[in-house]
Amino acid sequence: MKNVIGLTGGADTFLDDWFDFFEPFERILLCMDEDRAGKRGLLKISKRLGVERCKYIKLPDGMDVADYIHKYSAKQFKKLLKNPQEIPVKFVTDIKTSLFNFMMKKDDNDEIYDLPWKSVNKILNGGFKRGQLITLSGTPKVGKTTTSLYIADHFARVHKIPSLFFCLEMKDSELIQKLLTSRYKIHHKALVKSDALCLISEVLMDDYPLYLAYANEKIDMKILKEVLIDAWKRLGIGFFVFDNVHYMVRHVKDKVTAIEDVVKDMKLLTNELDLITIQIAQPKKISVTKMMDYFDIGWSGAFASDSDTIICLFRERTNQTKDFENFEDSSFSNNLVFGVDAGRYTAGGMTVLKLDKNYLDLNEYKQKDVSIILTNMLSANEDKKK
């Protein structure tokens, strides 16, 4: 048979280089295993290539192509190619398939992707799942971009999930500086361009599917959707960070409605593309000494209603200096409270990470130290409310 491509890494594998190869073809036949992963891969690949030009070859339950040919012959398999079936209708599933999916549903951890910190995974009930929309918020300068970039790097480097970090406030060169500082423990003031050679070598030697995006023009949700869908089709993006929602709508008069529309669309896209999405949001004008919760996220209750998980970051203010060159370094404590304030898949909770301000590194404390730090912080927070 001519013009045949076999997936080399399972049903979820579709090499980015193949996308353009399929452009000239008006008719594409897909043949996947009749198991849960195969059905998911069928829908995912057909969406990337265009459902309107795809059909699929249905195999008997429990069989792959090799099994079928071994049992029935290659000649019999060619007969199947003459009667391809339509890709299942979006949103619609027959009762047989629904029952099959229910019985085959797994509760194990192969669909939960952990984060770099055990204490954080504990309060997240193991980590993140595909289809989750996570809102991450905190007061300015607390470390929202640094933390989410750290997580995106982990998903690309450890989980090998193609990850896109779209930042409206920082260029890719600035994000690279953060990555280099954190990864190679180079003091941010001592960083030089040649330090990038270490990361370049690592990227060339290993699969490191991290992508950075920066818009040098005003964008809206329509443009963002186009970029994300195109990146999903061409690059197979599975993890997405958007920094940040409020920045995108700051020039809009009706900010409440604009944010509600953005969050709703972000949730729909996350589900449709089977992504893990972190959207960064700004808080209302609250005291920088107050430990925030999801009620403090700015302008809209949509974050609370549409997000699967809400994460609030907090760092205590320290004694400020009049030396403006060192202002940022001396403004906050190293203790970063990572609070899961609301979640559909977890009861939530708090932990504390140690943020090294010079190296943008996030590490864990021992559990007993976490308890002491949190007790002191919460006590101080209550005193400030009185």
Side-chain angles (χ1 to χ4, degrees):
M1 290 183 286
K2 297 181 180 180
N3 300 325
V4 175
I5 287 180
L7 301 181
T8 57
D12 285 329
T13 303
F14 187 86
L15 299 183
D16 302 334
D17 296 340
W18 293 351
F19 185 85
D20 291 330
F21 174 79
F22 281 92
E23 281 297 306
F25 295 94
E26 297 179 358
R27 185 168 179 264
I28 301 169
L29 300 183
L30 301 173
C31 186
M32 314 292 286
D33 295 0
E34 283 295 314
D35 56 13
R36 187 167 179 269
K39 292 175 185 292
R40 183 178 62 192
L42 173 68
L43 294 176
K44 183 176 180 179
I45 293 171
S46 63
K47 280 195 290 186
R48 290 187 68 183
L49 294 175
V51 176
E52 69 283 353
R53 58 180 179 151
C54 292
K55 291 190 176 183
Y56 82 105
I57 309 302
K58 183 173 177 59
L59 298 172
D61 290 349
M63 281 192 172
D64 58 21
V65 175
D67 294 330
Y68 187 89
I69 292 176
H70 180 73
K71 184 174 181 178
Y72 297 108
S73 79
K75 184 177 180 180
Q76 193 66 26
F77 178 72
K78 288 182 179 180
K79 289 183 179 179
L80 286 180
L81 300 180
K82 296 179 181 180
N83 297 291
Q85 299 191 27
E86 298 290 338
I87 301 297
V89 179
K90 188 176 181 179
F91 304 137
V92 178
T93 308
D94 62 80
I95 187 66
K96 178 183 176 182
T97 303
S98 295
L99 286 168
F100 176 81
N101 290 341
F102 173 78
M103 294 179 66
M104 294 300 293
K105 184 178 179 181
K106 297 180 180 179
D107 295 321
D108 52 22
N109 292 330
D110 63 351
E111 293 184 354
I112 299 177
Y113 301 93
D114 67 357
L115 277 66
W117 316 283
K118 289 182 179 178
S119 60
V120 170
N121 292 326
K122 185 175 181 180
I123 59 175
L124 284 170
N125 199 23
F128 293 152
K129 294 182 179 182
R130 286 187 179 273
Q132 272 190 296
L133 175 63
I134 300 107
T135 294
L136 187 146
S137 189
T139 51
K141 306 296 183 184
V142 75
K144 298 185 292 295
T145 299
T146 297
T147 302
S148 52
L149 183 61
Y150 201 102
I151 295 171
D153 174 67
H154 177 79
F155 269 76
R157 183 166 43 88
V158 176
H159 294 305
K160 302 301 181 186
I161 294 177
S163 304
L164 174 61
F165 193 102
F166 197 134
C167 187
L168 297 183
E169 298 180 85
M170 290 187 183
K171 296 180 179 179
D172 57 349
S173 58
E174 296 173 283
L175 296 174
I176 286 292
Q177 287 179 329
K178 283 181 173 286
L179 278 175
L180 291 173
T181 298
S182 174
R183 179 75 68 83
Y184 301 113
K185 308 299 180 288
I186 304 170
H187 193 290
H188 67 88
K189 293 181 179 178
L191 193 68
V192 294
K193 291 181 179 179
S194 60
D195 291 321
L197 292 174
C198 298
L199 187 55
I200 290 172
S201 299
E202 185 176 338
V203 169
L204 292 175
M205 291 176 62
D206 194 16
D207 178 23
Y208 181 47
L210 180 63
Y211 302 89
L212 306 176
Y214 168 74
N216 55 2
E217 60 184 65
K218 188 188 299 184
I219 72 164
D220 54 21
M221 194 60 203
K222 180 181 178 181
I223 296 173
L224 180 62
K225 285 170 68 175
E226 290 173 354
V227 172
L228 180 55
I229 290 173
D230 196 37
W232 177 80
K233 285 182 175 180
R234 294 179 172 271
L235 306 174
I237 296 301
F239 182 85
F240 176 55
V241 177
F242 181 61
D243 185 7
N244 65 60
V245 172
H246 288 87
Y247 191 91
M248 183 167 66
V249 303
R250 64 178 182 169
H251 298 297
V252 179
K253 289 184 179 180
D254 187 355
K255 291 181 173 58
V256 174
T257 300
I259 287 178
E260 287 176 352
D261 289 342
V262 169
V263 176
K264 178 186 68 176
D265 286 343
M266 202 74 82
K267 177 60 179 174
L268 290 172
L269 271 173
T270 299
N271 284 334
E272 182 180 353
L273 305 182
D274 202 25
L275 302 175
I276 297 170
T277 298
I278 294 179
Q279 58 181 5
I280 296 179
Q282 299 291 2
K284 304 171 185 174
K285 290 184 178 180
I286 60 173
S287 169
V288 293
T289 62
K290 177 183 180 294
M291 200 175 291
M292 68 174 286
D293 54 39
Y294 70 83
F295 292 107
D296 296 315
I297 300 177
W299 304 335
S300 175
F303 294 105
S305 59
D306 291 343
S307 300
D308 296 294
T309 302
I310 294 181
I311 296 169
C312 295
L313 303 181
F314 174 77
R315 280 198 288 159
E316 285 185 308
R317 299 279 290 200
T318 57
N319 293 328
Q320 297 176 9
T321 177
K322 294 182 180 180
D323 180 0
F324 287 98
E325 282 190 11
N326 298 314
F327 177 79
E328 187 173 336
D329 286 346
S330 61
S331 296
F332 295 95
S333 161
N334 284 347
N335 299 325
L336 176 68
V337 176
F338 193 107
V340 178
D341 194 39
R344 289 195 174 94
Y345 308 105
T346 172
M350 288 184 182
T351 188
V352 183
L353 301 174
K354 183 177 182 181
L355 174 60
D356 189 315
K357 294 174 288 189
N358 293 323
Y359 300 97
L360 300 180
D361 199 19
L362 282 162
N363 293 298
E364 294 191 273
Y365 286 106
K366 293 180 180 179
Q367 185 56 49
K368 64 177 182 179
D369 295 327
V370 170
S371 299
I372 293 171
I373 294 169
L374 279 178
T375 299
N376 292 338
M377 276 189 170
L378 292 171
S379 176
N381 202 52
E382 286 299 316
D383 292 340
K384 289 169 185 174
K385 289 180 181 179
K386 295 177 181 179

